[in-house]
């Protein structure tokens, strides 16, 4: 708690000091510094830094053009998300339809957001620019030569190299992850659903209604909250099992193969790696048909009498083993199949890590008379955990969001026999993400999907940030250098 | 060396595990050589062997199977994706591992936070962004989706670069090398295993993804599809009986190049990691 | 791309004005009477299995209308079952012309995805020489009703065989035995084979309820009215008990939705309830015993009730956001007209909705087509909203798995109540 307040006061301080510098620039700046309030390149121009002046001027013009041609179409409507509904008439002479100038709520939402972000970036650049101009003025007064453009650009290969490196990746992430994500978070506060779908219909803000519906029941169906809890529990169970079974399986398999006495290590590794060389959707769809109710495995089980035996002991009451079609069986099967999919990956990673063990430490420990268990417990395990720990946490989150395995194995074939779940379009085998997918794909219930997405995020965040903090605390990055 | 009983046991156990792991793959390969078009549920191996599925898949394209063009599309997308992704991953990994700057921790935390959101959530918004850029039904759009966000997957590469001895870089700085020079001439050459790993794993993305691909390539023109959409479509309930064995043949065909890549990756991963950075 | 589009718009406009010259007020548009034809690009979605046939029809269409315009139609693949999902995700990206099954019309029309065909009357008169009324008259009443929403025709009827009936192997089961479930099942049991039916789908299991006089209907807001937990000619509990009795018979085999073709092909079945799409599979499996007829009757209590079936239609709609809605409508009309419906039957044995084609002797000579006609006398048009499917699917699954006991009336009633609650849930 203390660190949080500290952080806040730090931020506050830096804002205040920034503002005071800004004030100073306004008061003490010369004409060109003041002119740069309007023309951002003015100061540079005065100090004969023409290229920089040109760049920043072009930037300013670009933002202005963006504002008056693009943003102005959407931002003013952000408060209502549009008011004009689509209407059209068919014109038999042109053979075409004539539409009115209608509003598209989702476009308004999305592009307003883009505008806000562009403006926020502009604001930062703008304020820093004024401060920068003032600094240039001071430098000139002190007789300091202005930085040459070439030197300035050179910095981007040196002390500012990280900006060069990060610019494009950050742009990509902003455009394709951050903006869509914020847009969908906004959607959780609207009534964007099947009855309010652009372009023909409008949607609008509804505040916290959707959250109330999810947690307080009412509204949709009385079973939604129940379905949510059921799906959530299975999601967590799945994530725990899926993560640890493959992790431990991978390490065990790697150490089994890495054992000095094992011949043909490469061949063994290759055999396992081949299974992941087949793309997941092929191998999973194949396995799905492999274990289908009328599939080959069932035929074999029937031939060897296994099905009759299972019927006799009351495990099943069908003429087949419902590997992927009935709760319980399916839950176990998806975890087992996930082991099949995941262990070779983990084995590869673990092999790399195990081959890289700090041998000198192990040797000296052995000299000191430690047995192999102690070595494993005190040297191998901490090392492996250090290297793969963060990956373990990301694996856990990835499994919470593991869409492929569950979707490919059960989509279209798993039918729930729990009516309460069915009434909310959920299934026992659904993870929150697959449920979310069903809600958006079949029911266009974007608002509830967004709410579920936020909940998934909160859960993942709570589960992992704690662990992650512990694993990376104290900045151990240098420990094994 | 004397052969011990436990060694035989160990090898037998490994063989047993390998068998379990390979059964579905063997089934895939065997079925792809079946003469029958649908799914054979009565015997493990096909009753009649034939090359007809491969012949149809490669030389007799109909509206359902356009395998050669799917393969070409996916290959192009995968190549572009893996170039961009690898560059992005290395760039982010170097910046976060080897450089110290003000926003570093903040950016890393944001990165971790973003990974916590399910990707399917924002799918529809991504779609409309690409539509605004007129990039739906366009392979460039898919490349953008696969590669633009790849910077987030930097953690493994960063972990690797963390093990590159700082002293090496220090020495270079002392010789007057710029940060960019250190990146290109010291860290990159030492990161070979992780580069190969990144290249291959990003190359695989377009072969595996069908959720985004089906959303983005929605014109219904099947020759524009990627392998994943096309093969997935063959298992449509109406088509399964005519195309199941061709699906298997397609699966085998795309697995071959990927398997080769994996074998290369395995070599680099294991040998590179032991012979490379840490001991150098 | 855009330039082309603008060009085509302009050309269209000039062409149209030259035709309408004198009787329109848009004469100020520069008349460009050098005989240049507009070029029109259209896209169309059709089922995978129909691609070859559709391409032929498109070629005919392009030829037929080449005197008016240079039309290029690009054909894409889209299964009818998923057409609604694809279209509603992004209406503007959907094809200009697409086919879909009748139970999707309300979703599509209420979402504004479908162009009203009534508006297209002037275009049809101008180019195709018929009125919308002619279209309505040419097709059977049920198909027109199915294509109508809110008193507006929203699609061109194309087929009338999107329903189900009984396939059987007459070498195993006699013509008399297929008349009732009791005899059918005992004949199957004797032969060691099974009668297959999909229970876990509201499309199939509704047939038992409709037979007992129950109904479903859809409201304007997309919600569904359903009364299956009450009493019609019989009570919902009684109907469920009959279903349970059939499902628990050793001669019966519940089939998972989507697995029917596979099961027929596997040779385990001697009879199966399915539709025309499985005709080939059934013909191969049953060989010279291949036969088809209407559904059998079943016992509710001790009364024999003829089992009704859902009859569906397929139709061709025009995208409301189409850039060339007029030409798209002409294409939709062309591929659903009498000749093309006939061709559709000849090439792919798809049952027509056109009255004249239905009278053709080739229909009555065809085993499946005559079964469709026979079943249509006991057909129900299913009009339900989207929330109908998941709860009824699960109800069917419960019956199929025998999780309800026939003597547990309270349990059955509760299951029916829960299902009805889910179906009636408001659309979100």
């Amino acid at each position: 708690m203390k660190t949080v307040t500290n952080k806040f006061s730090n931020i506050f301080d830096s804002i205040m000091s920034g503002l005071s510098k800004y004030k100073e620039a306004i008061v003490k700046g010369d004409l060109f510094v003041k002119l740069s309030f309007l023309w951002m390149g003015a100061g540079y121009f005065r100090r004969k830094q023409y290229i920089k002046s040109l760049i920043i001027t072009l930037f300013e013009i670009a933002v202005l053009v963006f504002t008056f041609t693009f943003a102005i179409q959407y931002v003013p409507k952000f408060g209502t998300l549009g008011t004009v509904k689509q209407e059209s008439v068919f014109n038999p002479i042109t053979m075409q339809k004539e539409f009115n100038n209608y509003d598209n709520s989702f476009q308004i939402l999305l592009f307003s957001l883009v505008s806000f972000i562009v403006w926020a970036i502009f604001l930062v650049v703008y304020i820093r620019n004024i401060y920068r101009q003032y600094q240039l003025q001071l430098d000139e007064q002190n007789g300091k030569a202005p930085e040459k453009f070439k030197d300035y650009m050179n910095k981007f290969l040196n002390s500012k190299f990280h900006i060069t490196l990060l610019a494009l990746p950050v742009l990509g992430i902003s455009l394709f992850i951050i903006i869509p994500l914020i847009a969908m978070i906004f959607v959780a506060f609207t009534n964007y659903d099947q009855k309010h779908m652009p372009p023909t219909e409008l949607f609008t803000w509804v505040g916290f209604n959707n959250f109330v519906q999810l947690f307080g029941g009412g509204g949709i169906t009385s079973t939604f909250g129940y379905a949510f809890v059921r799906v959530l529990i299975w999601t967590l169970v799945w994530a725990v099992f899926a993560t640890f079974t493959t992790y431990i399986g991978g390490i065990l398999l790697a150490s089994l193969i890495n054992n000095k006495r094992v011949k043909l290590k490469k061949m063994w590794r290759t055999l396992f790696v081949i299974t992941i060389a087949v793309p997941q959707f092929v191998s999973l769809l194949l396995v799905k048909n492999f274990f289908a109710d009328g599939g080959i495995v069932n035929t074999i089980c029937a031939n060897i009498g296994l099905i009759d035996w299972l019927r006799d002991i009351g495990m099943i009451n069908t003429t087949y083993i419902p590997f992927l079609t009935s709760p319980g069986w399916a839950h176990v099967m998806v975890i087992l199949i996930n082991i099949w999919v995941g262990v070779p990956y983990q084995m590869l990673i673990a092999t790399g890590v195990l081959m890289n063990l700090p041998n000198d430490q192990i040797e000296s420990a052995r000299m000191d008379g430690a047995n192999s268990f102690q070595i494993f417990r005190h040297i191998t395990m901490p090392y492996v955990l250090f290297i793969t720990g963060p990956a373990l946490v990301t694996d856990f989150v990835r499994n919470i969001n593991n869409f492929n395995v569950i979707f490919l194995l059960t989509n279209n074939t798993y039918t729930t026999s729990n009516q309460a779940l069915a009434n909310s379009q959920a299934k026992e085998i659904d993870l929150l993400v697959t449920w979310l997918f069903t809600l958006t794909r079949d029911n266009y219930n974007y608002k509830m999907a967004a709410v579920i997405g936020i909940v998934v995020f909160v859960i993942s965040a709570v589960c992992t940030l704690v662990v992650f903090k512990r694993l990376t605390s104290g900045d151990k990055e240098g420990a094994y250098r | 060396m004397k052969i011990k009983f436990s060694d035989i046991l160990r090898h037998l156990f490994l063989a047993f595990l390998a068998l379990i792991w390979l059964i579905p793959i063997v089934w895939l390969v065997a079925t792809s050589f079946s003469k029958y078009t649908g799914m054979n549920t009565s015997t493990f191996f096909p009753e009649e062997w034939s090359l007809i599925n491969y012949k149809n898949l490669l030389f007799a394209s109909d509206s359902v199977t356009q395998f050669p063009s799917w393969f070409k599309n996916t290959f192009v997308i995968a190549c572009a994706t893996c170039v961009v992704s690898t560059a992005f991953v290395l760039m982010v990994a170097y910046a976060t591992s080897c450089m110290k700057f003000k926003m570093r921790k903040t950016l890393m935390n944001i990165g971790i936070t973003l990974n916590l959101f399910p990707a399917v959530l924002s799918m529809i918004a991504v779609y409309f962004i690409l539509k605004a850029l007129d990039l739906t039904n366009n392979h460039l759009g898919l490349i953008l989706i696969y590669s633009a966000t790849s910077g987030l997957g930097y953690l493994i590469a960063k972990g690797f670069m963390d093990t590159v001895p700082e002293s090496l870089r220090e020495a270079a700085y002392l010789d007057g090398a710029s940060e960019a020079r250190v990146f290109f001439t010291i860290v990159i050459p030492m990161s070979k295993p992780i580069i190969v790993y990144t290249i291959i794993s990003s190359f695989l993305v377009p072969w595996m993804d069908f959720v985004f691909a089906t959303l983005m390539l929605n014109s219904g023109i099947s020759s524009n599809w990627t392998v994943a959409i096309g093969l997935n479509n063959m298992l449509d309930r109406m088509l399964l009986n005519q195309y199941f064995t061709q699906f298997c043949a397609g699966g085998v065909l795309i697995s071959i190049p990927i398997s080769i890549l994996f074998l290369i990756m395995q070599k680099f991963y294991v040998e590179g990691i032991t012979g490379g950075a840490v001991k150098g | 791309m855009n330039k082309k589009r603008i060009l085509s718009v302009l050309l269209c406009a000039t062409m149209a004005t030259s035709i309408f010259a004198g009787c329109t007020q848009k004469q100020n548009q520069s008349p460009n009477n050098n005989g240049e034809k507009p070029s029109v690009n259209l896209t169309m979605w059709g089922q995978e299995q129909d691609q070859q046939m559709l391409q032929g029809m498109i070629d005919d269409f392009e030829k037929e209308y080449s005197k008016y315009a240079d039309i290029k139609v690009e054909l894409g693949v889209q299964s009818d079952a998923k057409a609604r999902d694809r279209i509603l995700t992004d209406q503007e990206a959907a094809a200009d012309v697409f086919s879909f099954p009748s139970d999707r019309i309300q979703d599509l029309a209420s979402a504004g995805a479908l162009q009203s065909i009534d508006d297209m009357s002037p275009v049809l008169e101008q180019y195709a020489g018929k009125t919308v009324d002619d279209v309505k008259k040419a097709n059977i009443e049920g198909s027109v009703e199915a294509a109508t929403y809110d008193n507006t025709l929203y699609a061109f009827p194309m087929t009338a065989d999107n329903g189900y009936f009984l396939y059987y192997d007459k070498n195993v089961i006699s013509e008399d035995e297929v008349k009732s479930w009791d005899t059918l099942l005992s004949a199957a049991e004797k032969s060691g084979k099974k009668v297959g039916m999909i229970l876990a789908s509201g499309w199939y299991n509704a047939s038992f309820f409709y037979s007992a006089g129950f109904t479903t209907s859809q409201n304007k807001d997309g919600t569904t009215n359903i009364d299956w937990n009450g009493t019609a000619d019989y009570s919902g509990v009684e109907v469920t008990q009959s279903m349970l009795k059939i499902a628990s018979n050793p001669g019966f085999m519940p089939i998972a939705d989507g697995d029917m073709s596979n099961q027929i092909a596997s040779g385990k079945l001697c009879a199966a309830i399915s539709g025309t799409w499985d005709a080939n599979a059934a013909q191969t499996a049953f060989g010279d015993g291949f036969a088809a007829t209407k559904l059998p009757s079943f016992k509710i209590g001790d009364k024999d009730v003829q089992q009704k079936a859902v009859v569906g239609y397929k139709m061709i709609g025009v995208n409301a956001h189409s850039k060339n809605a007029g030409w798209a409508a002409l294409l939709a009309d062309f591929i659903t007209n009498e000749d093309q419906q006939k061709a559709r039957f000849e090439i792919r044995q798809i049952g027509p909705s056109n009255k004249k084609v239905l009278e053709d002797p080739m229909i009555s000579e065809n085993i499946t087509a005559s079964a469709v006609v026979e079943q249509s006398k006991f057909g129900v048009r299913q009009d339900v909203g989207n929330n109908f499917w998941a709860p009824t699917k699960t109800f069917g699954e419960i019956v199929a798995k025998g999780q309800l006991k026939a003597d547990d009336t309270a349990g059955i009633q509760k299951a029916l109540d829960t299902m009805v609650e889910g179906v009636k849930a408001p659309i979100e």
Side-chain angles (χ1 to χ4, degrees), chain C residues 58-72:
Chain C
I58 284 171
D59 293 343
D60 291 349
F61 170 76
E62 288 175 351
K63 224 176 280 159
E64 173 92 17
Y65 282 87
S66 62
K67 52 183 180 280
Y68 303 117
D70 283 330
I71 304 179
K72 287 236 152 50

Side-chain angles (χ1 to χ4, degrees), chain A residues 111 157-158 165 177 181 261 263 269-270 275 277 281 285 289-290 294 296 299 340 344 355 403 433 461 477 481, chain B residues 7 11 21 39 41 43 91 104 117-118 132 152 158 162 164 179-180 207 211 228 232 258 263 266 270 274:
Chain A
F111 295 145
L157 294 177
N158 236 318
L165 289 177
I177 294 190
L181 214 63
R261 307 191 67 96
K263 296 270 156 37
R269 240 175 254 136
T270 308
T275 60
F281 76 93
L285 286 175
N289 285 307
F290 203 56
I296 179 84
T299 311
W340 182 77
M355 287 203 150
F403 181 80
V433 271
E477 278 165 349
R481 275 188 206 268
Chain B
D7 288 347
H11 281 88
W21 251 261
M39 190 166 46
T41 55
T43 55
M91 282 151 76
R104 181 171 158 273
F117 282 99
L152 270 185
K158 176 189 176 288
D162 282 345
V164 173
E179 198 74 56
W207 302 91
V211 177
N232 195 41
I258 296 175
L263 296 184
Q266 192 199 347
V270 178
T274 45

Side-chain angles (χ1 to χ4, degrees), chain A residues 93 95 97 200 416 419 444 447, chain C residues 16 85 111 115 320 326 394 415 428:
Chain A
I93 297 154
M95 299 283 272
K97 293 188 79 180
T200 43
T416 175
Q419 289 187 301
Y444 307 98
K447 56 174 195 193
Chain C
D85 298 347
Q115 169 61 40
T394 288
E428 290 288 340

Side-chain angles (χ1 to χ4, degrees), chain A residues 106 110-111 157-162 164-166 168-170 172-173 175-181 183-185 192 253 256-257 259 261-263 266 268-283 285-287 289-290 292 294-296 299-300 303 339-341 343-345 348-349 351-353 355-356 359 387 390-391 394 397 401 403-404 407-408 412 433 436-437 446 449-450 453-454 456-457 460-461 464-465 468 475 477 480-481, chain B residues 1-2 4 7 10-11 13-15 17-18 20-25 27-28 39-44 88 91-92 94-95 97 99-101 104-105 107-108 110 112-118 120-126 128-130 132-133 144-145 148-149 151-152 155 158 161-164 166 169 177-180 183-184 197 207-208 210-211 227-228 231-232 235 237 240 244 247-248 251 254-255 258-259 262-263 265-266 269-271 273-274 278:
Chain A
F106 196 72
L110 196 60
F111 295 145
L157 294 177
N158 236 318
S159 59
K160 288 187 177 173
F161 190 48
H162 62 273
T164 321
L165 289 177
L166 291 177
L168 280 177
V170 168
I173 291 166
L175 198 58
F176 292 110
I177 294 190
I178 297 180
I179 290 177
L181 214 63
M184 288 318 280
I185 291 173
Y192 185 9
L253 186 60
L256 192 65
I257 295 177
N259 190 295
R261 307 191 67 96
V262 169
K263 296 270 156 37
K266 250 190 188 164
W268 292 116
R269 240 175 254 136
T270 308
L271 283 181
F272 287 97
V273 165
I274 282 174
T275 60
I276 43 175
V278 182
Q280 251 185 29
F281 76 93
V282 174
S283 58
L285 286 175
L286 195 78
V287 170
N289 285 307
F290 203 56
I296 179 84
T299 311
I300 294 171
N303 288 346
I339 292 178
W340 182 77
V341 172
V343 160
Y345 274 108
L348 264 189
I349 293 170
T351 305
V353 175
M355 287 203 150
N356 214 6
N359 269 327
I387 298 287
T394 40
V397 173
N401 293 331
F403 181 80
N404 266 7
F407 181 79
L408 290 174
N412 278 341
V433 271
L436 186 157
F437 186 75
Y446 292 109
I454 291 174
V456 171
F457 164 73
S460 313
T464 58
L465 280 185
F468 213 88
D475 207 352
E477 278 165 349
Y480 286 96
R481 275 188 206 268
Chain B
M1 204 157 60
K2 221 175 74 188
K4 278 200 264 177
D7 288 347
R10 185 171 275 135
H11 281 88
F13 183 61
L14 263 177
L17 282 181
I20 289 179
W21 251 261
L22 286 178
I23 283 177
I25 308 299
W27 194 55
L28 174 75
M39 190 166 46
N40 181 352
T41 55
S42 48
T43 55
F44 186 86
F88 276 20
M91 282 151 76
V92 177
Y94 183 82
S97 168
M99 294 187 70
K100 303 274 174 269
F101 54 95
R104 181 171 158 273
K105 269 269 139 93
L107 283 180
M108 283 170 66
I110 292 177
I112 293 165
T113 317
L114 290 179
N115 269 332
L116 301 180
F117 282 99
V120 275
L121 171 65
S122 51
M123 213 163 62
I124 192 74
V126 172
F128 280 109
I129 286 178
L130 280 174
L133 298 171
L144 273 180
I145 294 184
T149 59
L152 270 185
L155 267 176
K158 176 189 176 288
M161 285 186 186
D162 282 345
T163 65
V164 173
E166 215 170 338
R169 283 188 288 125
S178 69
E179 198 74 56
F183 175 60
F184 284 116
Y197 175 81
W207 302 91
M208 316 266 189
F210 74 102
V211 177
V227 170
L231 288 186
N232 195 41
L235 290 193
R237 53 179 67 167
L240 185 102
F244 186 74
F247 165 86
C248 292
I254 57 172
S255 305
I258 296 175
S259 308
F262 257 99
L263 296 184
M265 173 172 97
Q266 192 199 347
Y269 201 83
V270 178
E271 283 176 12
I273 229 165
T274 45
V278 175

Side-chain angles (χ1 to χ4, degrees), chain A residues 86 90-91 93 95-97 99 102 193-194 199-200 220-222 415-417 419 422-423 425 442-444 447, chain C residues 9 16 26 84-85 88 92 111 115 123 320-321 323-324 326 386 390-391 393-394 403 415 418 421-422 425 428:
Chain A
Q86 186 183 62
F90 177 69
N91 183 340
I93 297 154
M95 299 283 272
Q96 283 172 343
K97 293 188 79 180
F99 288 94
Y102 61 94
D193 57 26
Q194 197 182 348
T200 43
I220 328 169
T221 55
S222 54
T415 305
T416 175
S417 49
Q419 289 187 301
N423 286 0
Q425 269 85 30
D442 300 343
N443 302 79
Y444 307 98
K447 56 174 195 193
Chain C
V9 171
K26 290 218 172 180
R84 159 191 170 272
D85 298 347
L88 289 186
E92 289 160 343
Q115 169 61 40
V123 173
H321 294 86
K323 291 276 184 308
N324 291 298
N386 203 37
K393 186 182 176 84
T394 288
Q403 289 178 357
T418 317
E421 188 204 328
E428 290 288 340

Side-chain angles (χ1 to χ4, degrees), chain C residues 58-376:
Chain C
I58 284 171
D59 293 343
D60 291 349
F61 170 76
E62 288 175 351
K63 224 176 280 159
E64 173 92 17
Y65 282 87
S66 62
K67 52 183 180 280
Y68 303 117
D70 283 330
I71 304 179
K72 287 236 152 50
V73 184
E74 199 171 13
L75 180 62
V77 179
Q78 177 60 58
S79 73
D80 289 348
K82 291 179 193 150
R84 159 191 170 272
D85 298 347
R86 192 41 84 70
I87 294 160
L88 289 186
T89 302
D90 183 2
Q91 296 181 15
E92 289 160 343
D96 296 311
V97 175
F98 43 74
S99 61
F100 60 94
S102 50
D103 51 10
R104 296 308 195 189
I105 187 142
Q106 174 136 6
D107 273 354
L108 289 170
S110 64
L114 290 176
Q115 169 61 40
S116 146
I117 303 302
D118 290 341
D119 286 357
M120 290 294 167
S121 208
V123 173
L124 290 180
E125 282 169 48
Q126 174 86 33
Y127 295 97
K130 57 170 122 173
T131 63
V132 172
D133 269 340
D134 291 338
V135 173
K136 289 183 188 167
K137 272 181 215 145
N139 290 289
I140 54 172
E141 208 177 311
S143 70
V144 176
E145 258 172 47
T148 306
Y149 167 73
D150 209 7
N151 293 326
T152 311
L153 187 72
Y154 273 106
F156 293 92
M158 174 170 72
T159 80
D161 67 348
N162 201 28
Y164 44 88
F165 44 89
L166 186 78
Y167 287 112
Y168 66 102
D169 184 347
K170 63 183 173 204
N171 294 336
V172 179
I173 301 163
S174 74
E175 237 172 274
D176 280 335
E177 285 167 331
V178 294
K179 286 193 175 133
S180 87
W181 272 100
D182 285 347
T183 49
L184 179 66
L185 287 170
S186 55
E189 200 190 342
K190 237 180 277 162
S191 72
K193 291 193 170 189
K194 308 267 184 187
V195 180
M197 178 183 177
I198 297 171
L199 284 177
S201 161
W203 199 58
Y204 289 98
N205 63 35
S207 63
F208 291 102
F209 289 92
Y210 292 145
S211 314
F214 287 106
T215 56
T216 50
S217 66
Q218 193 176 192
N219 299 317
K220 270 268 173 58
D221 63 355
T223 53
T224 310
N225 295 318
I226 185 169
D227 54 359
W228 298 1
N229 57 342
T231 305
D233 300 347
Y234 305 90
S235 75
V237 175
E238 284 176 300
V239 175
T240 313
Q241 283 168 333
S242 310
M243 289 168 75
L244 285 167
K245 212 176 127 205
I246 292 172
S248 61
N249 190 300
F252 182 82
M253 179 160 155
I255 313 269
D257 197 5
D259 200 29
M260 185 56 97
S261 315
N262 247 333
Q263 294 297 342
I264 294 177
S266 76
K268 286 177 208 157
L269 304 179
C270 60
I273 292 178
S274 188
T276 47
W277 52 92
D278 275 333
N280 281 336
Q283 194 143 24
T284 323
F286 299 154
D288 62 344
F290 176 66
T293 183
K294 66 178 185 339
L295 297 182
S297 64
F298 67 108
K299 274 214 167 73
I300 305 181
D302 46 8
K303 296 243 177 56
D304 255 327
V305 178
Q306 168 62 40
Q307 189 173 5
K308 290 181 180 172
V310 173
V311 288
Y313 307 89
K314 283 194 179 171
M315 44 195 72
I316 298 272
V318 174
N319 189 335
H321 294 86
S322 165
K323 291 276 184 308
N324 291 298
W327 297 107
L330 288 172
L331 172 60
D333 168 62
F334 184 84
I335 57 173
T336 55
N337 69 19
E338 187 187 327
D339 293 346
Q340 305 305 330
Q341 289 206 17
K342 198 168 171 188
R344 196 169 267 116
F345 184 79
E346 281 163 357
I347 302 170
R348 296 245 311 115
Q349 284 77 51
I350 297 173
S353 61
N354 187 292
K355 286 177 192 163
K356 278 204 191 121
V357 185
L358 275 170
E359 283 162 11
D360 198 295
M362 70 180 176
I363 300 279
S364 48
E365 285 160 15
N366 184 291
I367 293 175
T368 48
S370 51
V372 170
V373 174
E374 205 183 334
Q375 183 66 57
S376 65

